Amino acid sequence: MYSDADVDAMHVREADTAVRLGPAPAQSSYLDADRVLVAAHDSGSDAIHPGYGFLSESSSFAQAVVDAGLGWIGPPQDAIAAMGDKSEAKSTVSAAGVPIAPGVTLPLVDVMDALRYTAQVGYPIMVKPSGGGGGIGMGIATDDAEFEAAWTTAVNRSRSLFGESSILLERFTERARHIEVQVLGLNDGRILVLGERDCSVQRRHQKLVEESPSPGLPTNVRAEMFAAAATVADNIDYRGAGTVEFLLDRVSGEFFFLEMNTRLQVEHPVTELVFGVDLVEAQIRIAAGEDSPGFEPDALASNGHAFEFRVYAEDPDTYRPGPGLISEWIEPEGDVRVDSGYAKGDVVSHFYDPLLAKVCVWGSTREEALDKAELALSSFVLDGPKQNLPLLRELLHSRAFRTGDYGTTLLSELKDEKSSSLSKGMSS
């Protein structure tokens, strides 16, 4: 399927059948459930895979697909609904004994009420939309003025992208790692845990680099986190692929449930590389009612280390999107996996997320994987739109990242170090 902005996109060129949904704005195309269902009907499809964006976590869309007599390649609608609202999700998992971050689980719609609750929780505090995911609309406040600005941003982004404007408040953990656990619910009721991914390298509260296993996760904490993730999934009778996200306090070692993404993750290649499985195949087989997900569950084992580096059409310093014509595109070759959506001559639209490609590497050790990543990123040639390859290459040479001793503030710390070095250079 495609919108007018994607008429010449790679996914359209590669498809055997492509159906136009509508105009470029997502609300008039990719987010229009009726148009998607008509496209499925007109093309003779018997199932819908929602990917990892747009309608992928809409329980009402999942129900509409089933009601239309089509197969839904995703978890049960009730499971999507249970985790779709962050407030309800936290109440659900807390009742199951899974730790949640201090804050206000009640969804708030009035800024004055929110300020009163903030006085009880204390600063710094995270302001986040109750619906949606992917870090969209999140903001951190350290005082009342910053809170009101973060509140306005969260409400506006939530209303425009998720169709509602309720907000959650969480105590912000300053020295933290963002860890997510991949789960797979089988048709016989078993919940498989396929390791964890460290997603701590972020900008604008959105992920930029992921790796598995996490270099900063103690063995005992890993076991507890896996058990908690399995409990969350089992509690909602989960089927198919899903991810349970946690925040780990690097000082105390405590971890807290953040949310569950009831879909495939952008970073699924990391898990596929270390476990040797195909998560999309598993999704399809489970949705088709098969007993096997395409591999032997009892033989599941992690092997080696993997990274994913997200290449975006964005300014490497400001992180602002930089759409435009791609005048040169040469992907790295050799022992590397590149999942891409663009090629030379394509135009990066301003309508959608500016993700261009995912550069993924595997090594028998973390050091080997890092060396492969450095080779791959140094040989990726990309000209035209603004892009973040310089930032990714710089990140690879930072001591904190190379040693694995980093948290969610890594990029801001590197930016501060660079500014400090420039200031000292100018003064001398």
Side-chain angles (χ1 to χ4, degrees), residues 198-243:
D198 195 312
C199 306
S200 300
V201 182
Q202 304 177 1
R203 83 282 185 265
R204 302 196 310 268
H205 311 297
Q206 293 179 294
K207 305 162 190 172
L208 191 63
V209 178
E210 299 91 1
E211 66 175 300
S212 181
S214 169
L217 193 59
T219 302
N220 64 312
V221 177
R222 176 179 284 110
E224 293 173 10
M225 202 173 277
F226 286 3
T231 295
V232 171
D234 186 57
N235 197 59
I236 56 173
D237 296 322
Y238 201 80
R239 297 293 179 272
T243 302

Side-chain angles (χ1 to χ4, degrees), residues 49-360:
H49 190 300
Y52 45 65
F54 296 116
L55 296 171
S56 61
E57 291 184 278
S58 169
S59 59
S60 61
F61 177 64
Q63 184 63 57
V65 171
V66 174
D67 290 344
L70 297 166
W72 169 250
I73 305 176
Q77 299 85 291
D78 289 346
I80 299 175
M83 293 291 109
D85 184 284
K86 293 186 180 68
S87 175
E88 292 185 15
K90 287 193 171 188
S91 297
T92 298
V93 303
S94 179
V98 175
I100 62 173
V104 182
T105 57
L106 177 72
L108 302 168
V109 295
D110 182 84
V111 67
M112 298 310 296
D113 286 342
L115 280 168
R116 283 191 287 272
Y117 279 111
T118 299
Q120 300 173 18
V121 177
Y123 289 113
I125 199 164
M126 175 74 78
V127 183
K128 58 198 297 187
S130 181
I136 296 173
M138 290 184 185
I140 301 167
T142 59
D143 57 35
D144 286 0
E146 289 184 356
F147 181 88
E148 293 193 34
W151 174 273
T152 299
T153 298
V155 168
N156 290 341
R157 294 282 283 167
S158 182
R159 186 178 292 133
S160 63
L161 294 175
F162 310 133
E164 57 101 1
S165 55
S166 59
I167 302 298
L168 288 182
L169 305 178
E170 287 177 1
R171 172 76 60 79
F172 177 66
T173 303
E174 296 188 71
R175 290 183 56 79
R177 294 190 87 115
H178 188 151
I179 310 292
E180 61 184 28
V181 178
Q182 177 71 57
V183 296
L184 193 66
L186 304 185
N187 286 318
D188 63 9
R190 283 183 292 171
I191 302 295
L192 304 182
V193 174
L194 288 80
E196 87 282 1
R197 297 182 289 256
D198 195 312
C199 306
S200 300
V201 182
Q202 304 177 1
R203 83 282 185 265
R204 302 196 310 268
H205 311 297
Q206 293 179 294
K207 305 162 190 172
L208 191 63
V209 178
E210 299 91 1
E211 66 175 300
S212 181
S214 169
L217 193 59
T219 302
N220 64 312
V221 177
R222 176 179 284 110
E224 293 173 10
M225 202 173 277
F226 286 3
T231 295
V232 171
D234 186 57
N235 197 59
I236 56 173
D237 296 322
Y238 201 80
R239 297 293 179 272
T243 302
V244 184
E245 305 204 1
F246 299 97
L247 198 67
L248 173 69
D249 189 318
R250 296 169 66 196
V251 177
S252 68
E254 296 177 287
F255 66 87
F256 308 104
F257 170 86
L258 287 177
E259 63 183 7
M260 182 176 188
N261 291 304
T262 52
R263 54 172 168 81
L264 190 70
Q265 292 282 89
V266 176
E267 58 273 19
H268 71 276
V270 173
T271 298
E272 294 182 337
L273 288 172
V274 295
F275 279 90
V277 301
D278 186 326
L279 287 175
V280 179
E281 177 186 356
Q283 284 185 296
I284 296 171
R285 288 183 179 277
I286 292 169
E290 296 184 16
D291 294 331
S292 171
F295 58 87
E296 178 50 57
D298 294 334
L300 199 62
S302 175
N303 178 37
H305 204 100
F307 286 93
E308 174 183 288
F309 295 82
R310 302 192 192 188
V311 181
Y312 281 96
E314 66 181 23
D315 188 290
D317 295 315
T318 64
Y319 312 136
R320 291 177 180 171
L325 173 68
I326 297 175
S327 57
E328 190 60 86
W329 178 285
I330 303 176
E331 294 181 3
E333 298 180 346
D335 196 7
V336 58
R337 167 178 169 175
V338 181
D339 289 9
S340 61
Y342 292 88
K344 181 179 179 179
D346 287 346
V347 176
V348 182
S349 169
H350 68 278
F351 284 103
Y352 315 119
D353 187 277
L355 178 64
L356 300 175
K358 301 180 291 186
V359 177
C360 311

